[in-house]
Amino acid sequence: MRIVRFEAENVKRLRAVAIVPPADAAVVEIAGRNGQGKSSVLDAILYAIGGKAEQPDLPVRIGETTAHTTIDLGDLVVHREWRESGSQVLRVQTRDGGTVAKAQERLDSLIERISFDPLGFAALPPAKQRATLAAMIDVDLDALDGVRRTLYNRRAEINADAAREEAAARSGGPITGAKAIDEEALWQAIKDQDAETAAARRWEDEAAAADARCAQAGLAVLAASDALAEKIVAVGAATRVLEAARGTAAEAEARRSAYAATPRPEYPNPAPIREAIRAAQATNARVRTEAALIAHGDKAAAIRATAADLTRQIEDHDADVIERMRTAPWPIEGLGLDAEHGITYRGVPLTQCSSAERIRVACAIGVARTPGIRVMLIREASLLDAESMAVLASMAADHDFQIWMERVGSGGAGAIIIEDGGVLGGAVPAPESSGVST
C-alpha cells in the first residue's frame, strides 16, 4: 500500500495541506524554505501511522485546539486526531467503510520501522544496525562470533600455558646432558669403611685390655713374692699362688705377644668417598633439573601445536564467515558486517560514511524489508546529489515503494512546495473517489 491522498490540518507548522501524489510517482518531493512546514508533512505521516512511540509532546499547531491527519492508503484510510489537552483518537477504515478493530496493531503489522523511517535506522547504534542486517541476510553473527570468541579465548589460555612451560624450561639454564651417578654404591663404600673402622677400634681395645691384664699379673707376682718372703711358713701355699700368678702372667704375655705380632689396622680415609658423594648429589640434582626442563619444553611444544591447530580453526572459521558474507543476499552492493564497527559500506564503517551514503544504505535496507505499507520518509534529502536521487528513485520504483522526502529550496520538477504551513498555489486537487468515508 502507498499513500493515495494525504491531508493534514494544524499539525505542528501546518495549517491545511492536501497532497495527491501521482499514481506512478516513486518519489514525492516536499520542498520549500526552512521553517515553512516541510518537516511537518513527514512528521504528520509518521505520527498518524507510527503509533504511540512516535507521538510528540506538542503535535497541535500553536494557537489551535485540535489537529488531524488523514492518509488514504487505497485499501485503508488512517485518520488520527489530536487535541490540545493531549488526548488523541485513531480510526482506521477499510475501502468499503468498515472500521478496523485494534487499529494500531493493524498498522504496526503493516509497517517496518526501517522502511518507514530509514534515517532512524541510520542513527541506531552500530550493534543494533548489525543485528538487523544480519537477520535480513540470514546469518547468525552472534553464533559465529561466539564460536570465534570461544576458539580465540581457548587459544589465548593455551598460549599462556605454553609461555609458562617455556619460561620454566628456560629457568634452569642450558641443558648440559649430564649423566646420573649411582649414589647408593658410594654410600655402600662409606658403610664398608665404617665396618673397617669399627674392627680397628675393637683390635685396639682388646690390645689395651691385654696390656692391662699383664700389668695386673705383674703386680700380683710382686705381691706374691712379698708374701713368700714374709711368710716362710706358708711357703707351700705361697708357692702355689706364685705359680698360679706366673701362669696367668705367662698367658697374658702370650696374648700380648700375639697382638704385637699382628699388623696394626689402618683407619680408612672417608674424605674421597664423601667428596664423590657430594659431587654425585650435585650432578644428580642437575640431571633431575634438566629432565624437568626438557619435560617443560616438550609440554610447551605440545601446547603450541594445540594453539596452532586452534589458529587454523579460527582461520577456517574466518574464511567461512567471509564466504557467507560474500554470498549473502545484500540489499545493496558494497555492504558488509564488521564485529567492531557494525555495518560497513564499501569497506568504511557506516557511521563514518557521508550523510548521502547513509541515506542510500538505509533506504536500500528499508526497501528490502517489503512491508505492507510501502512508504518511506527521508529527511535531510538536500544532502543527496543528483546521482543519489536517481539511485533512490530507481530503488523505490524497482521495489514498488513511495519515498516522501523533504528538501530545502524549490526542489525539482513536480516538487510540492510548502509555504507558511500550506501547499504553495493552493490545495492539490482530489483524485477520483476511493470509496472510503472519512
Side-chain angles (χ1 to χ4, degrees):
M1 286 181 283
R2 295 149 54 106
I3 296 178
V4 176
R5 180 182 179 86
F6 165 80
E7 295 180 3
E9 183 177 344
N10 296 332
V11 177
K12 296 186 71 176
R13 290 183 180 273
L14 298 180
R15 296 180 185 276
V17 171
I19 299 173
V20 179
D24 59 349
V27 175
V28 180
E29 185 177 354
I30 309 298
R33 295 179 294 117
N34 289 327
Q36 299 303 305
K38 302 184 308 301
S39 298
S40 296
V41 172
L42 272 65
D43 289 341
I45 297 173
L46 178 64
Y47 301 161
I49 299 176
K52 183 177 180 180
E54 307 296 348
Q55 301 307 306
D57 294 333
L58 299 172
V60 180
R61 181 182 174 89
I62 296 175
E64 303 295 337
T65 58
T66 62
H68 75 266
T69 296
T70 299
I71 299 176
D72 186 348
L73 295 168
D75 292 337
L76 297 175
V77 174
V78 179
H79 180 83
R80 192 183 293 268
E81 181 177 335
W82 298 269
R83 297 184 178 89
E84 188 180 25
S85 62
S87 63
Q88 59 177 275
V89 176
L90 170 66
R91 184 172 68 254
V92 178
Q93 293 177 283
T94 60
R95 176 179 292 276
D96 58 8
T99 300
V100 175
K102 297 182 178 179
Q104 189 59 59
E105 290 185 16
R106 177 68 181 279
L107 293 176
D108 289 343
S109 70
L110 295 173
I111 64 173
E112 281 279 356
R113 297 295 172 183
I114 299 174
S115 305
F116 200 48
D117 184 15
L119 293 190
F121 170 79
L124 289 175
K128 290 188 176 180
Q129 293 178 347
R130 176 174 179 266
T132 300
L133 183 56
M136 288 181 61
I137 63 175
D138 195 25
V139 175
D140 191 345
L141 288 176
D142 289 338
L144 293 174
D145 288 348
V147 170
R148 192 183 197 283
R149 187 163 50 251
T150 298
L151 292 172
Y152 184 87
N153 291 341
R154 177 58 181 151
R155 185 182 65 177
E157 294 173 358
I158 286 177
N159 280 333
D161 291 341
R164 285 191 290 271
E165 294 295 338
E166 289 168 348
R170 293 191 299 269
S171 64
I175 303 299
T176 64
K179 303 298 182 181
I181 297 174
D182 187 357
E183 295 181 40
E184 186 63 30
L186 295 173
W187 283 113
Q188 185 58 50
I190 288 293
K191 290 180 180 179
D192 293 342
Q193 282 192 346
D194 289 344
E196 293 176 8
T197 299
R201 286 177 177 166
R202 283 195 302 274
W203 185 93
E204 290 182 345
D205 291 342
E206 290 177 1
D211 288 341
R213 283 194 293 273
C214 285
Q216 291 176 353
L219 293 174
V221 169
L222 290 175
S225 298
D226 292 341
L228 182 60
E230 293 176 356
K231 298 179 179 180
I232 297 302
V233 293
V235 68
T239 300
R240 287 191 299 273
V241 172
L242 176 61
E243 290 301 326
R246 286 176 176 168
T248 300
E251 183 181 349
E253 181 62 27
R255 178 167 293 194
R256 182 172 65 177
S257 298
Y259 272 102
T262 303
R264 181 185 182 88
E266 296 293 333
Y267 284 96
N269 182 9
I273 296 178
R274 291 191 179 278
E275 181 59 32
I277 289 175
R278 282 192 292 271
Q281 289 173 333
T283 298
N284 291 343
R286 182 60 195 173
V287 168
R288 289 190 295 272
T289 297
E290 292 186 5
L293 298 179
I294 292 171
H296 283 303
D298 292 343
K299 186 175 181 180
I303 292 173
R304 288 296 186 194
T306 302
D309 180 65
L310 287 172
T311 297
R312 285 190 293 273
Q313 292 183 48
I314 291 172
E315 292 171 349
D316 291 343
H317 175 272
D318 291 346
D320 177 60
V321 171
I322 291 172
E323 180 61 18
R324 292 191 188 195
M325 295 296 103
R326 187 185 68 79
T327 58
W330 299 106
I332 185 173
E333 185 177 355
L335 276 187
L337 289 172
D338 182 89
E340 181 179 357
H341 300 106
I343 296 177
T344 61
Y345 181 56
R346 295 174 178 172
V348 178
L350 188 60
T351 54
Q352 298 177 22
C353 290
S354 68
S355 296
E357 288 175 322
R358 290 200 298 272
I359 291 174
R360 289 176 64 177
V361 169
C363 289
I365 294 173
V367 297
R369 303 290 282 186
T370 62
I373 297 177
R374 294 173 176 261
V375 175
M376 182 176 293
L377 308 178
I378 299 181
R379 307 171 194 277
E380 302 179 11
S382 299
L383 298 171
L384 300 173
D385 56 19
E387 179 185 358
S388 297
M389 288 285 291
V391 169
L392 291 188
S394 175
M395 191 184 300
D398 291 344
H399 292 82
D400 193 26
F401 256 78
Q402 185 186 62
I403 297 179
W404 289 61
M405 61 171 61
E406 60 165 304
R407 302 189 78 189
V408 176
S410 58
I416 298 169
I417 310 300
I418 302 298
E419 183 78 27
D420 192 24
V423 176
L424 185 64
V428 177
E432 297 181 4
S433 175
S434 64
V436 178
S437 173
T438 59

